[in-house]
Amino acid sequence: MPTSTPDALRDVSVIIVGAGFSGLGLGIQLRRRGETSFVILERADDVGGSWRDNTYPGVACDVPSPLYSYSFRTNPDWSRMFSPGQEIWDYLRAAAREEGLGPHLRFGAEMLEARWNENDHRWTVRTPQGEFYGDVLVAATGHLTDIKLPEVPGLETFTGELFHSARWNHDFPLAGKRIGVVGTGASAIQIVPQLAEIADQLVVFQRSAPYIQPRRDRVFSEAEKNLFRRDQRTVEEMREMLFWYNDSRFAARRLIDDYLAEASWQALSHLDKQVSDPELRAKLTPDYTIGCKRILLSDDYYPAIQRPNVHLEAAALERVEGSTAFSAVGEAFELDVLVVATGFETYDLPSSYRIFGRGGNALADHWSNGMQAYKSIATAGFPNLFLLNGPGTSLGHNSVIYMIEAQIDHLLAALDWRSAHDGRVLEVSSDIENAFAKRLDEGAAETVIIRGGCSSWYLDPRNGRATLSWPDFAHRFRDECAPFDPAAYDHGEQSAARA
Amino acid sequence: MSTASTVPATAGDVKENHGSLHIGDLEVNFFDSLDEHSGLPPIVLVHGTGGSTRSHFGFLFPMLAAKQRVVAVDLATPQGPPDEGQIRMAEQVQAVIEKVLPDRPVTLAGYSLGAVVAATAAGTRPDLVGGLILMAGWLKTDAQQKLRNDIWRALRQSDVEALRRYQAFCAFSAPLLAMLSDGEIEALVSSFRTDDVMAAQMEINRHVDLTDVAPKIACPTLIVAGTDDLMTPFRQSKRLFGAIADARYTEVTSGHAMVVERPAELVHLIAAFNANPNQYPAGAILPTRRP
């Protein structure tokens, strides 16, 4: 075990693991309330989470920027409705800096293990930077962080250059190369138009065609940005309009006929307009109900697919031998580069194998039947552990930042309650956790996530539960999950005094 | 006085029963989501001028029905004197409540003319209504509204196409209309009715007066106004806020067509009020929502 160097924040009230949107958002709120006894542990060397890791060409968010940002830190400077990833990363870095989080951040401090100590009722987090001790542990570890590679025989034998979309190799020159892209999800449809411009040949391996709607992106003019700066209310009004419009899209997810038909029409008419070849159109037509997988937004994906140097292989990548990639229908492609855009570990989180609660039980074991948490934030057997952006928080129709903020409000109220009650430990019972999870399962059963006839990253394939998904309006999450109700928690023990 | 028939129908995932009853020579249709889901009071929806359950509550009905029972009334337009319209329509709502949801508190939610009807129903039969929601309603038709009504009537005589454009112009907020493409504007324009039923309801609108009935409303009430409403300007909602004892008030950033412009926000407001009508006390203006 590494020896601990002196650090004023080695022993704190709150340990936050992760410096993405969740961890930084909580840190900002703590700072604004004058809290100083917290540390943010980050495994990388900078803040930003997904927006630090994803640097692929064309990276942007598919939620409008005025909404994909903190409500308590609106930004008048977004360059466009769907701003590039670099701008989102810069926004987060500026937020961390200007809100005074610098002294609280510890980089290269990966959570190797977090353990609840039954004697002093506190958490110990082991990192390469030594151990940290806290009354409360906040797992702000995200679920679009640990990359997932496809299980393709021979992938490791590939003789060309291979990398995941979230680990882009910017040192490798791609111009004039024969490139394969594996996947047609949110990352791939942004990457493909960029690579199509420079590749000699581009092959896109499509296991399942996505629904794609028009992006309706646009630049914010200097006059608009100036207005946003002069009158902050105008930014907020745009944000509110986007939020409530997006929330109304949940009606389609809940399979209400008229709204489902409208969503389908928006996607399929876009396909019809952009692709005239019936054979290609058929390949690009999804075989499940819209919204089951994430609905993608792009105006340049279909045009890119129709370039003479681009081939859409409507089949999965099945195996690799040396420099040859074989599709599931037996086509062979000689490739110099394979870009794997197959997403992330979402349902069986690597971080859950590193958190040990009562009796030394791993969170992953507690979640062997699928991850779940009371109000998406607290779980039985893990006292004073709070999860941000964990189970039951993902949306297909609105901004996850809104969900994170609702969770932060719950957490701040819980911390206030602890302060007012001699630092008593907060822990939910299995009954309360299970009852909440059951309601979510029942809600999900009414939505397209379960009923849409697809497998998506919102589902846990071990049990078919939509453990990642919040199966309701986003506003309903705030209504239900932001309020902290001490009666839902057991609270007998007290954290021992800090050293 | 009434007979009823029940025909199963479906709207999306909501198993919905359609029924009807008769009051005199008027046939009143209603829809009932049936499934109680919870211990929450059922919600009774009343549509606005020229509307129906389907055209005004295509979103609210199924989405509210996911969490509690919802009944919606398709108002029949009475033929008598227009100043009796609001009470004749209120009787229809009362009859549906007594038939479908007898002896239990309901939350009655009306939109536009439906808000006038709901307020009348709640004021004349306080025993039937446990909670009241008035969206884009008004207390008494004023000169600004009569002027709009005059233009409506004149255009109906002279230029029906212009009338449809005028309706779209009045119903939706300026910010919403500004965002739409030409094709989307035309689609909106063509959706408006100009028929005799609509004209009869416009006459009823001219004669609305809740001055006497509003003080008789005893239940907790939520008033929802649209900031950009030209047809029932938010000041009218504020007059209701002043006239109803146990009222609280909130605004949505919308024109009159809030059921189209901000349907999810309305679901939030209605569901939260139904779960806890006294979350905010009488006289409160709800805190501004900043999502």
Side-chain angles (χ1 to χ4, degrees), chain A residues 5-32:
Chain A
T5 50
D7 184 331
L9 296 180
R10 196 149 303 279
D11 193 340
V12 291
S13 175
V14 182
I15 298 175
I16 302 166
V17 181
F21 256 107
S22 299
L24 295 179
L26 175 59
I28 291 168
Q29 291 296 354
L30 289 173
R31 277 297 300 189
R32 288 189 180 185

Side-chain angles (χ1 to χ4, degrees), chain A residues 134-171:
Chain A
D135 300 337
V136 167
L137 176 64
V138 180
T141 38
H143 53 248
L144 300 178
T145 49
D146 294 298
I147 62 172
K148 181 180 188 174
L149 297 174
E151 286 170 18
V152 173
L155 195 62
E156 68 288 349
T157 71
F158 182 60
T159 49
E161 178 70 13
L162 181 148
F163 49 84
H164 189 277
S165 54
R167 302 288 183 272
W168 200 267
N169 182 358
H170 291 278
D171 296 330

Side-chain angles (χ1 to χ4, degrees), chain A residues 328-366:
Chain A
V329 294
E331 293 293 321
F333 303 93
E334 288 297 309
L335 298 174
D336 306 311
V337 183
L338 257 180
V339 175
V340 183
T342 46
F344 303 88
E345 299 289 352
T346 53
Y347 60 85
D348 187 18
L349 296 178
S351 57
S352 68
Y353 288 85
R354 299 177 175 195
I355 298 175
F356 299 88
R358 282 197 196 281
N361 283 337
L363 187 55
D365 289 333
H366 179 65

Side-chain angles (χ1 to χ4, degrees), chain A residues 121-144:
Chain A
H121 312 301
R122 303 187 74 221
W123 285 95
T124 300
V125 179
R126 186 161 58 82
T127 81
Q129 310 290 331
E131 289 187 343
F132 291 81
Y133 312 97
D135 300 337
V136 167
L137 176 64
V138 180
T141 38
H143 53 248
L144 300 178

Side-chain angles (χ1 to χ4, degrees), chain B residues 228-266:
Chain B
D228 296 45
D229 189 338
L230 294 177
M231 294 163 71
T232 57
F234 71 87
R235 284 176 189 82
Q236 277 284 359
S237 280
K238 287 211 167 158
R239 294 177 72 189
L240 288 169
F241 184 40
I244 298 172
D246 195 0
R248 52 277 307 117
Y249 175 87
T250 193
E251 290 175 356
V252 295
T253 305
S254 172
H256 188 70
M258 57 178 65
V259 290
V260 177
E261 293 191 43
R262 284 285 169 98
E265 192 170 13
L266 293 180

Side-chain angles (χ1 to χ4, degrees), chain A residues 291-425:
Chain A
C292 187
K293 290 172 184 272
R294 194 169 185 82
I295 299 172
L296 308 179
L297 305 178
S298 178
D299 297 330
D300 55 6
Y301 178 73
Y302 290 142
I305 286 292
Q306 295 169 87
R307 290 173 62 114
N309 64 331
V310 178
H311 172 74
L312 177 71
E313 181 66 4
L317 174 64
E318 191 176 64
R319 65 192 164 91
V320 174
E321 288 175 16
S323 62
T324 313
F326 294 90
S327 78
V329 294
E331 293 293 321
F333 303 93
E334 288 297 309
L335 298 174
D336 306 311
V337 183
L338 257 180
V339 175
V340 183
T342 46
F344 303 88
E345 299 289 352
T346 53
Y347 60 85
D348 187 18
L349 296 178
S351 57
S352 68
Y353 288 85
R354 299 177 175 195
I355 298 175
F356 299 88
R358 282 197 196 281
N361 283 337
L363 187 55
D365 289 333
H366 179 65
W367 281 348
S368 58
N369 292 319
M371 60 179 185
Q372 60 181 42
Y374 163 70
K375 291 194 175 184
S376 302
I377 201 168
T379 187
F382 295 81
N384 280 1
L385 169 67
F386 295 91
L387 311 163
L388 294 182
N389 195 11
T393 55
S394 286
L395 298 170
H397 68 280
N398 214 329
S399 170
V400 76
I401 311 307
Y402 175 87
M403 308 293 274
I404 290 167
E405 288 191 21
Q407 296 202 290
I408 289 173
D409 284 358
H410 183 111
L411 182 41
L412 293 174
L415 295 176
D416 283 347
W417 187 92
R418 291 191 73 249
S419 297
H421 293 82
D422 304 320
R424 272 193 241 158
V425 166

Side-chain angles (χ1 to χ4, degrees), chain A residues 7 9-10 14-25 38-54 70 89 92-93 96 101-112 125-130 132 137-146 167 351 354:
Chain A
D7 184 331
L9 296 180
R10 196 149 303 279
V14 182
I15 298 175
I16 302 166
V17 181
F21 256 107
S22 299
L24 295 179
F38 69 94
V39 67
I40 305 175
L41 305 178
E42 170 55 53
R43 64 183 170 188
D45 57 2
D46 202 345
V47 303
S50 297
W51 303 102
R52 175 200 60 228
D53 293 343
N54 284 276
Y70 299 121
W89 188 21
L92 285 172
R93 285 200 285 192
L101 296 186
H104 298 273
L105 286 158
R106 297 293 178 274
F107 296 113
E110 179 170 8
M111 174 180 68
L112 300 172
V125 179
R126 186 161 58 82
T127 81
Q129 310 290 331
F132 291 81
L137 176 64
V138 180
T141 38
H143 53 248
L144 300 178
T145 49
D146 294 298
R167 302 288 183 272
S351 57
R354 299 177 175 195

Side-chain angles (χ1 to χ4, degrees), chain B residues 82-289:
Chain B
D83 59 348
E84 292 177 8
Q86 70 188 55
I87 188 71
R88 295 287 88 81
M89 287 174 153
E91 286 163 4
Q92 299 171 28
V93 172
Q94 291 163 345
V96 170
I97 293 173
E98 289 196 291
K99 172 168 183 55
V100 182
L101 302 164
D103 305 319
R104 58 188 296 191
V106 305
T107 296
L108 180 57
Y111 163 62
S112 184
L113 176 58
V116 169
V117 171
T120 306
T124 54
R125 285 292 304 276
D127 57 306
L128 294 180
V129 184
L132 180 65
I133 302 172
L134 305 178
M135 298 173 276
W138 71 104
L139 183 72
K140 181 180 180 183
T141 307
D142 63 22
Q144 185 262 4
Q145 291 173 299
K146 281 185 182 147
L147 180 60
R148 199 188 71 80
N149 203 294
D150 291 342
I151 299 169
W152 194 94
R153 194 153 43 172
L155 284 175
R156 185 162 187 261
Q157 296 301 320
S158 63
D159 188 342
V160 170
E161 177 52 24
L163 176 59
R164 286 206 180 87
R165 304 189 89 73
Y166 179 65
Q167 283 174 294
F169 178 82
C170 293
F172 292 92
S173 71
L176 181 100
L177 291 173
M179 284 192 311
L180 299 182
S181 67
D182 291 350
E184 288 166 330
I185 292 273
E186 293 311 318
L188 270 192
V189 165
S190 66
S191 71
F192 281 94
R193 292 172 64 176
T194 61
D195 55 23
D196 289 345
V197 170
M198 178 77 191
Q201 292 182 5
M202 287 300 285
E203 278 307 299
I204 292 171
N205 285 345
R206 280 185 87 83
H207 295 85
V208 162
D209 189 352
L210 296 175
T211 314
D212 292 336
V213 81
K216 296 177 186 160
I217 295 170
C219 61
T221 301
L222 174 66
I223 315 268
V224 184
T227 52
D228 296 45
D229 189 338
L230 294 177
M231 294 163 71
T232 57
F234 71 87
R235 284 176 189 82
Q236 277 284 359
S237 280
K238 287 211 167 158
R239 294 177 72 189
L240 288 169
F241 184 40
I244 298 172
D246 195 0
R248 52 277 307 117
Y249 175 87
T250 193
E251 290 175 356
V252 295
T253 305
S254 172
H256 188 70
M258 57 178 65
V259 290
V260 177
E261 293 191 43
R262 284 285 169 98
E265 192 170 13
L266 293 180
V267 168
H268 160 68
L269 290 169
I270 295 168
F273 179 81
N274 196 44
N276 184 7
N278 292 305
Q279 182 185 4
Y280 302 102
I285 295 176
L286 268 54
T288 309
R289 292 169 291 286

